[in-house]
Amino acid sequence: MTNKPWGGRFKKALHPLATAFNASLAFDKALYPYDILGSKAHANMLGAQGIIPAQEAKLICDALDAIKLELQAGQHVLDEEFEDIHMFIEHLLIQKIGDIGKKLHTGRSRNDQVALDLRLYTRDAIGDVSACLQQLINRLKALSSKHTQDKMPGYTHLQQAQPIYLSRYLDAYQQMFLRDLSRFSDLQERMNFSPLGAGALAGSLLPLDRQKVAEELGFKGVITNTLDAVSDRDFIMEFCSAAAITMVHLSRLCEDLIIWATSEFNFLILDDEFATGSSLMPNKKNPDILELIRGKSGRVFGSLMSILTVMKGLPLAYNKDMQEDKEGLFDTTRTLTACLTILVPFLESVTFNTEHMAKAAESGYLDATTVLETLVKQGMPFRDAHHQVGLWVAAALEKQCSLTDLLKEISPDSFTSAAHELSHQIQQEPLPKPAKTKHVITGQELTASAIADILHLASLLKKNPSHYQDKLKNKTLAMVFDKLSFRTRLSFNLAIESLGGIAIESVNSTRKSETPSDLIRVLNGYCDFVMVRTHDDEHLQEMSKHATIPLINGLSALHHPCQILADLLSLQECFGSLKGLTLAYVGDGNNILNSLLLIAPQVGLTINYCCPAGHEPDNAILSNSKEQFPGQINRFATPEEAVHNAHAVYTDVWVSMGFEHTEKGDFTGFQVNEALMAKAHADAVFMHCMPMERGKEVSMTLPDSPCSIIFLQSENRLHVQKALLIYLAY
């Protein structure tokens, strides 16, 4: 005979060695809070279903609460005779309330009981790890924002490669840990289902309410297949896998910081609070915290391999092998949490030797790639440019000088001159070919990649304008105004001047009459860029045929590409991504709508539009866009249909500046107001390129509402035009 809960069919007691070998109480005691939580939910369900009396269910729950407090206080000596924490708690329950305690296990097996406890534990572990990860991400983000202007060498093969900013390095680890956070979040969603009620493998004939238990315990639902419910340990494998990947990232970060803390690198100064010394060498200051994190990655990797190996050959459903699923899970949770927790204050304590980093970034010919790409932009084939710069580096090494000094020595006047001279000195390499002049007339000249580059650069310029203050030093922008302007004049003027260049302005009344082709030929010899704001698109097209410098359409009758770039930047700032957004345009089908149709779909926007009869967008532009972007251009009969669930609602003046004398047509029902915005997406924004006529195309109050981003659009004209000038210059 045996006193085990399963001992009815056995005639002999378990051998003492087998008892000790079979027991898991020494480590699965960590599950006691979850076992009690699950047992209370099970007891409540048994009472609610009438399987046991409701008052007995309450007595069981009260006793379990008392046992939890006693275990927390360490009042019970763990006895391996009871195998595991589940049987030990049941033993304590029966001791406390007698035979009523024996009813708790009704409709339940240890198989689904253990599976439940492990899911509850893992769910909490995910929450703890995620909180620690978020703290680390926040710390890296704070450090990154502090070091946006601090240069350092970037490395490949642990050899100096290209100069970067320390903020970019720190942001790289932010991205890694954000992915880790995402993995744990995905796991939380996937594993948050209850196995309880599956029994040993085939459920129960009793009228159990599995859904009630799942809801009480905060699960999304139940695992419907009972065999899978008791035998699944995917969630442990996934947890250990996500933890192992996180430890890879932690170990890589620690490896970098360990190297940086060496005398040879001297990029990092360890704080005394997070460093140790040597028992023999009094000069030592060791990064033990970092080394321990790096070392502890091994035990987390080991736990992952352990659970994978345990599960790889098991038949359905439960097998005792699965008792080995716990220790690795518990150790992984403790180890990962400890590593994440200690690293946050460690990073708060360290000092980056930014002066030494910046000095290191100036050595090792790290500017070679920049020189190479400058040649490529000037028209030289990449392989030729690569070979040419390699020869220059070899020459600089021989002279023991920097690449910059070598080029200055050859010709202090210009980089092109240096390339010319050196190409004759070193194996007569071919001269760079002049790059094809880039224009922005309609916006179609810009690929999706180019638009993304311009928007990204605009964001950088907006964040750190001082970093680019000499980017267009001594460059000249000529601004030609056939059509009056305030915002275009001001934004382009400020743009070129903030980048170190100068602007000159010409209005129609100050110029003698001459053809567009003659005008641009004159400006070719004077300026580096020309911006034209005109009524006549044909003038722009004629100028572009003869322009040898970048030509920019500041606005024309048919097109307004600069405004649309500013609009895209504004939407990107509001929604994070442009892809998948729907923009509804309501009103006059003018140059704004034309440019939206040509440019916005390239970066993933869908354009819905509704215009009064006679005020449709240009037919050729519309046909071209529909053909190029099928399904992304949609015409609607009413404004209400057009704005339905749109992320942005856009309108413009019904009559453009300079055309006030023209017939307005019937715009009744086309005003964008609060009632129309209510039909858009809940987070929709209102857009207008300004100037506007309140009370006409837009209500008096909508421009001042929280959903309005019109002043953001206006500000972003400056930033995208700065980015556009740099893009066209290089």
Side-chain angles (χ1 to χ4, degrees):
M1 293 289 292
T2 176
N3 61 355
K4 299 290 185 185
W6 39 261
R9 74 171 314 276
F10 290 83
K11 296 180 179 179
K12 291 183 180 180
L14 197 62
H15 191 285
L17 287 176
T19 297
F21 190 74
N22 193 51
S24 59
L25 184 56
F27 53 85
D28 67 17
K29 61 186 178 183
L31 293 174
Y32 83 83
Y34 305 101
D35 193 72
I36 289 173
L37 182 65
S39 291
K40 287 177 63 180
H42 182 65
N44 285 333
M45 180 274 295
L46 293 176
Q49 292 296 101
I51 298 172
I52 65 173
Q55 63 271 25
E56 291 185 356
K58 184 179 185 307
L59 182 62
I60 289 172
C61 289
D62 291 343
L64 287 170
D65 285 336
I67 291 169
K68 181 180 179 181
L69 293 174
E70 292 163 5
L71 288 170
Q72 286 175 341
Q75 294 179 14
H76 296 290
V77 178
L78 301 179
D79 187 348
E80 284 188 349
E81 183 65 28
F82 297 98
E83 292 187 19
D84 54 40
I85 191 63
H86 322 289
M87 292 297 96
F88 185 61
I89 289 174
E90 184 173 311
H91 160 71
L92 296 177
L93 180 66
I94 294 169
Q95 271 193 335
K96 192 174 287 290
I97 61 174
D99 286 349
I100 293 175
K102 296 178 181 179
K103 297 183 179 182
L104 172 61
H105 209 56
T106 304
R108 186 173 71 170
S109 163
R110 265 190 301 178
N111 293 359
D112 60 341
Q113 182 181 1
V114 172
L116 173 70
D117 293 357
L118 284 171
R119 283 178 184 267
L120 292 171
Y121 173 91
T122 305
R123 193 172 66 182
D124 272 6
I126 290 171
D128 293 342
V129 168
S130 297
C132 292
L133 268 170
Q134 189 61 63
Q135 289 180 353
L136 177 57
I137 291 165
N138 292 343
R139 170 53 17 204
L140 287 168
K141 186 176 182 180
L143 280 173
S144 179
S145 64
K146 183 180 176 182
H147 294 288
T148 56
Q149 300 301 310
D150 293 322
K151 290 184 179 179
M152 62 169 287
Y155 293 84
T156 62
H157 308 279
L158 208 54
Q159 301 291 317
Q160 290 186 351
Q162 288 181 271
I164 61 172
Y165 288 102
L166 178 54
S167 58
R168 173 164 290 197
Y169 168 87
L170 295 167
D171 182 63
Y173 279 101
Q174 278 188 70
Q175 299 307 313
M176 294 183 207
F177 294 126
L178 282 167
R179 292 195 298 272
D180 294 327
L181 191 61
S182 176
R183 271 184 280 271
F184 284 110
S185 177
D186 290 345
L187 170 58
Q188 181 85 291
E189 286 294 306
R190 195 160 37 252
M191 58 84 64
N192 197 25
F193 291 86
S194 172
L196 202 63
L201 76 161
S204 172
L205 295 176
L206 297 172
L208 305 178
D209 188 345
R210 297 185 65 200
Q211 190 63 41
K212 173 181 171 57
V213 176
E215 290 174 1
E216 183 173 337
L217 294 173
F219 288 106
K220 291 166 61 177
V222 300
I223 302 172
T224 54
N225 187 290
T226 54
L227 276 81
D228 185 47
V230 297
S231 63
D232 171 39
R233 295 297 185 271
D234 287 3
F235 61 96
I236 297 179
M237 290 186 279
E238 284 193 65
F239 181 88
C240 290
S241 175
I245 295 171
T246 304
M247 287 301 298
V248 168
H249 297 152
L250 288 171
S251 183
R252 292 183 70 184
L253 173 59
C254 290
E255 171 71 7
D256 279 341
L257 298 181
I258 289 166
I259 293 172
W260 288 9
T262 62
S263 301
E264 289 76 10
F265 269 74
N266 193 25
F267 286 1
L268 185 74
I269 301 170
L270 297 171
D271 191 278
D272 287 356
E273 286 189 318
F274 291 93
T276 64
S278 166
S279 62
L280 174 63
M281 299 167 284
N283 58 303
K284 293 298 296 297
K285 190 175 187 181
N286 298 326
D288 283 12
I289 301 300
L290 300 174
E291 291 171 351
L292 280 170
I293 294 173
R294 185 177 61 182
K296 286 178 183 293
S297 63
R299 65 192 296 160
V300 174
F301 300 164
S303 294
L304 172 59
M305 290 308 301
S306 175
I307 185 62
L308 290 172
T309 306
V310 165
M311 297 301 298
K312 73 173 181 63
L314 297 187
L316 287 178
Y318 179 82
N319 298 269
K320 191 68 171 183
D321 312 51
M322 292 161 72
Q323 182 168 289
E324 296 299 310
D325 59 7
K326 299 171 186 63
E327 288 181 278
L329 172 63
F330 299 158
D331 187 75
T332 292
T333 303
R334 288 191 299 268
T335 301
L336 179 56
T337 304
C339 291
L340 291 168
T341 301
I342 191 69
L343 193 55
V344 173
F346 176 89
L347 289 173
E348 289 174 350
S349 74
V350 298
T351 301
F352 292 104
N353 190 348
T354 53
E355 184 176 342
H356 188 71
M357 285 177 156
K359 187 175 180 181
E362 295 173 0
S363 64
Y365 305 101
L366 273 68
D367 52 350
T369 304
T370 301
V371 176
L372 183 157
E373 292 183 342
T374 301
L375 290 175
V376 170
K377 288 177 179 178
Q378 292 179 352
M380 182 181 285
F382 175 83
R383 288 300 174 197
D384 293 343
H386 191 285
H387 181 64
Q388 175 70 83
V389 177
L391 292 171
W392 291 346
V393 170
L397 281 167
E398 188 173 339
K399 288 176 174 285
Q400 296 186 345
C401 67
S402 71
L403 186 56
T404 301
D405 289 340
L406 179 72
L407 295 174
K408 287 180 180 178
E409 178 185 325
I410 295 165
S411 174
D413 297 327
S414 70
F415 176 81
T416 303
S417 176
H420 175 77
E421 292 293 331
L422 204 56
S423 67
H424 283 79
Q425 288 182 26
I426 306 176
Q427 298 185 8
Q428 285 73 50
E429 292 293 328
L431 282 171
K433 299 175 183 177
K436 182 179 179 182
T437 303
K438 294 179 285 188
H439 305 304
V440 177
I441 309 298
T442 67
Q444 283 184 296
E445 304 88 352
L446 300 173
T447 63
S449 176
I451 295 170
D453 288 345
I454 291 168
L455 297 183
H456 177 65
L457 180 56
S459 297
L460 295 177
L461 286 157
K462 189 173 182 178
K463 185 178 180 181
N464 297 304
S466 61
H467 180 61
Y468 300 87
Q469 59 189 5
D470 294 323
K471 196 69 175 176
L472 298 181
K473 189 175 182 179
N474 298 326
K475 299 286 186 181
T476 303
L477 168 68
M479 300 188 295
V480 178
F481 292 100
D482 291 338
K483 183 179 172 76
L484 295 176
S485 167
F486 172 68
R487 288 169 183 77
T488 301
R489 173 187 286 109
L490 184 61
S491 57
F492 266 108
N493 206 319
L494 290 172
I496 188 71
E497 289 185 1
S498 68
L499 297 171
I502 58 173
I504 57 173
E505 181 181 322
S506 172
V507 296
N508 200 17
S509 60
T510 65
R511 296 195 307 274
K512 294 181 179 179
S513 178
E514 59 183 338
T515 65
S517 59
D518 288 345
L519 175 61
I520 192 63
R521 284 169 175 169
V522 171
L523 294 175
N524 284 337
Y526 289 165
C527 312
D528 299 288
F529 315 90
V530 176
M531 185 282 297
V532 179
R533 183 177 167 98
T534 180
H535 297 290
D536 198 331
D537 284 272
E538 290 183 2
H539 282 192
L540 273 171
Q541 294 297 336
E542 182 66 21
M543 293 175 80
S544 69
K545 294 175 184 177
H546 301 279
T548 59
I549 54 177
L551 180 63
I552 304 168
N553 181 354
L555 177 144
S556 65
L558 286 176
H559 303 283
H560 202 347
C562 293
Q563 179 62 54
I564 302 311
L565 290 173
D567 297 336
L568 294 178
L569 178 61
S570 303
L571 287 171
Q572 186 169 275
E573 290 176 350
C574 291
F575 293 97
S577 173
L578 295 172
K579 190 173 183 180
L581 296 181
T582 297
L583 183 148
Y585 183 92
V586 175
D588 186 25
N590 57 15
N591 51 14
I592 289 292
L593 180 53
N594 289 337
S595 291
L596 281 169
L597 295 173
L598 289 172
I599 300 172
Q602 290 199 64
V603 289
L605 268 74
T606 295
I607 304 297
N608 296 346
Y609 73 95
C610 180
C611 304
H615 292 269
E616 298 283 345
D618 180 82
N619 190 56
I621 291 174
L622 180 62
S623 298
N624 177 280
S625 296
K626 281 189 170 182
E627 182 179 348
Q628 189 176 356
F629 308 110
Q632 289 180 254
I633 312 293
N634 305 299
R635 179 185 180 278
F636 289 89
T638 67
E640 289 77 11
E641 292 175 306
V643 306
H644 176 68
N645 215 29
H647 300 91
V649 179
Y650 204 134
T651 192
D652 193 9
V653 290
W654 289 338
V655 177
S656 297
M657 185 172 62
F659 293 93
E660 290 84 358
H661 61 283
T662 59
E663 181 65 35
K664 292 184 179 181
D666 186 6
F667 284 88
T668 304
F670 281 83
Q671 184 187 80
V672 177
N673 49 37
E674 286 81 355
L676 189 63
M677 286 296 298
K679 299 183 183 300
H681 191 276
D683 298 322
V685 296
F686 167 66
M687 305 181 74
H688 194 304
C689 61
M690 301 176 74
M692 60 186 163
E693 291 190 89
R694 293 180 187 243
K696 292 186 178 179
E697 76 272 7
V698 60
S699 66
M700 295 295 294
T701 54
L702 185 60
D704 304 313
S705 69
C707 71
S708 172
I709 61 168
I710 61 174
F711 297 107
L712 176 64
Q713 292 172 260
S714 181
E715 177 193 348
N716 281 339
R717 279 288 297 274
L718 171 64
H719 304 301
V720 297
Q721 285 163 189
K722 288 163 70 173
L724 184 60
L725 288 169
I726 293 174
Y727 168 79
L728 293 173
Y730 291 93

